[in-house]
Amino acid sequence: NNNEIIGELEIPNTSLKVPVAHTGDNEFYLNHLLDKSYNTLGSIFLDYRNKIDDRKLIIYGHNSEDIYTEFNMLENYLNESYYQKHSDIYFRTLNDYSHYKIFSVYVAVADYRYINLKFNDFEYNEHLKYLKKQSLYDTGVSVNDGDEIIVLQTCYFEPIGSYLIVVGKKV
């Protein structure tokens, strides 16, 4: 019963099938559940700067070394063989059902440009190439000028303070 839930994120044949919230900041759902009760585990949410039809969507969720969170499973993508069996992301909203193919998996340590959303067309295409180049392994999925993408971000602990980034392109 939360009108800030705007969709559902799913990676088939994994534990990830979760509602996605969207509100006016990137702070609230860091430590609130979807029923809006306070909880340090937070919820999965779309970047407040995004509109649902943007060409680049960023979705955040917590990770923990000690407690289960929905985005814990993203760590499996550090293993290329896991990727081979789970390369699809689906994002369902009221008006759309989008299928994405993962093209990049990497750990961001100091360069956080993956969170940028404002680009002209040339900058955006360079950004796509940058994201592809960062991947820990070759997914075999190419990116082309103007591709629509989804970025999943969660905390990572090697090194401490880094982020695990999983990026898919709309197919």
Side-chain angles (χ1 to χ4, degrees):
N1 200 15
N2 179 342
N3 64 358
E4 293 176 339
I5 296 173
I6 49 94
E8 180 182 68
L9 181 68
E10 178 180 10
I11 299 178
N13 303 312
T14 73
S15 61
L16 189 69
K17 185 174 183 178
V18 295
V20 177
H22 187 233
T23 192
D25 62 54
N26 282 348
E27 301 298 320
F28 184 78
Y29 285 107
L30 279 176
N31 53 24
H32 286 82
L33 300 177
L34 294 174
D35 67 5
K36 299 192 178 182
S37 64
Y38 181 83
N39 188 305
T40 57
L41 295 179
S43 298
I44 305 298
F45 63 96
L46 180 67
D47 192 297
Y48 80 97
R49 300 170 297 162
N50 270 132
K51 292 186 180 102
I52 201 67
D53 59 352
D54 285 348
R55 62 183 172 181
K56 177 182 179 184
L57 301 175
I58 305 173
I59 297 179
Y60 305 100
H62 280 304
N63 188 9
S64 172
E65 292 180 295
D66 305 319
I67 302 169
Y68 170 80
T69 66
E70 289 96 344
F71 269 17
N72 279 135
M73 60 75 54
L74 293 180
E75 287 190 29
N76 294 321
Y77 284 103
L78 296 170
N79 182 331
E80 185 176 357
S81 64
Y82 184 86
Y83 161 80
Q84 297 296 335
K85 297 175 185 165
H86 306 92
S87 61
D88 299 294
I89 299 170
Y90 292 89
F91 186 48
R92 182 188 325 260
T93 65
L94 288 175
N95 300 319
D96 195 23
Y97 187 60
S98 299
H99 175 202
Y100 297 86
K101 188 64 85 171
I102 296 170
F103 70 87
S104 184
V105 175
Y106 72 98
V107 177
V109 177
D111 185 344
Y112 306 120
R113 70 177 89 175
Y114 66 88
I115 64 169
N116 294 341
L117 286 172
K118 293 188 184 280
F119 306 96
N120 63 36
D121 287 343
F122 175 79
E123 292 167 338
Y124 184 71
N125 293 329
E126 291 299 306
H127 185 63
L128 293 176
K129 292 174 194 171
Y130 165 80
L131 292 171
K132 174 68 176 166
K133 185 178 177 184
Q134 298 309 301
S135 191
L136 298 171
Y137 45 84
D138 183 5
T139 62
V141 177
S142 62
V143 288
N144 301 300
D145 289 356
D147 277 341
E148 294 180 41
I149 64 171
I150 192 166
V151 176
L152 308 182
Q153 177 209 290
T154 195
C155 298
Y156 192 58
F157 310 101
E158 295 177 32
I160 293 173
S162 60
Y163 296 98
L164 179 58
I165 310 302
V166 176
V167 189
K169 78 169 192 172
K170 197 177 218 181
V171 293

